Amino acid sequence: MRVVTVVILLFFCKASELRKASPRGRANHGRAGGSRRGSSPVKRYAPGLPCEVYTYLHEKYLDCQERRLVYVLPDWPQDLLHMLLARNKIRILKNKMFSKFKRLKSLDLQQNEISKIEGDAFFGLNKLTTLLLQHNQIKVLTEEVFIYTPLLSYLRLYDNPWHCTCEMETLISMLQIPRNRNLGNYAKCESPQELKNKKLRQLKPEQLCSEEESERLDPRPQVSGRPPVIKPEVDSSLCYNYVFPIQTLDCKRKELKKVPNNIPPDIVKLDLSYNKINQLRPKEFEDVHELKKLNLSSNGIEFIDPGPMR
């Protein structure tokens, strides 16, 4: 009888231990499962998360498309060669925005909301060859914006609401240079109405400026009882000299009738546009040894001496 009693007691003790162990087992199992779920990687594509950086054919790319970005992030690698920023929310390209990416070869900014590009936006991009700006909200742009991209050979500007007026004259002149056959193809005017759907590359300078605008930008002396003020014809002291980022002499709209004969020899860019120079003589720029860019547009030049310019 005692043996039976002992067996029954052992049975109930064992059952009690199993009941107590079972909740702990389930709890432990739940915690283990939760731990596994917490450590599993979940890939989310949401604004603010890191962009994809990868190498293809030994060249480094940054793919940050469709991230709703409004600016360049500070932690992007500086040795990028290609930057893909299409379909974001960028509205303004600010001065020196890409200056730390000195090796950049291509920059894709299409399908953003860009309406303004500041003058030094592309500062430092002297290796850039491809720039995509189509499908944005840009109305006016000048050639000076591209002074920092001397190797640029592929530029897309179409599907922007271009306002084709005097302010666009330098850009349109740049696009029409024969060697720039891959710059600005298919871009068309949105306004004014008389130029709507005209291709930028096919416009003539006289189509851009009305007589009123020309008078405002290049005023003629008023007839009065006073003798007219005689301005020097060849003195470069009337011009503005800029040292940074490159040596530039700006002689735009100074009513010069001849090319100045005292141009500093280290000038790299010379702007003589919108003056009254009607002929070019031989060796006009002989002493300007570093000259790389010369703008003589809107002068009414009638004769260029066939002798050498330098």
Side-chain angles (χ1 to χ4, degrees), residues 23 27 34 87 151-152 174 215:
R87 295 179 293 282
L151 300 182
L152 189 65
M174 181 189 82
E215 181 69 20

Side-chain angles (χ1 to χ4, degrees), residues 17-27:
E17 288 176 1
L18 288 173
R19 282 196 299 272
K20 292 179 181 178
S22 180
R24 287 198 299 269
R26 285 195 297 271

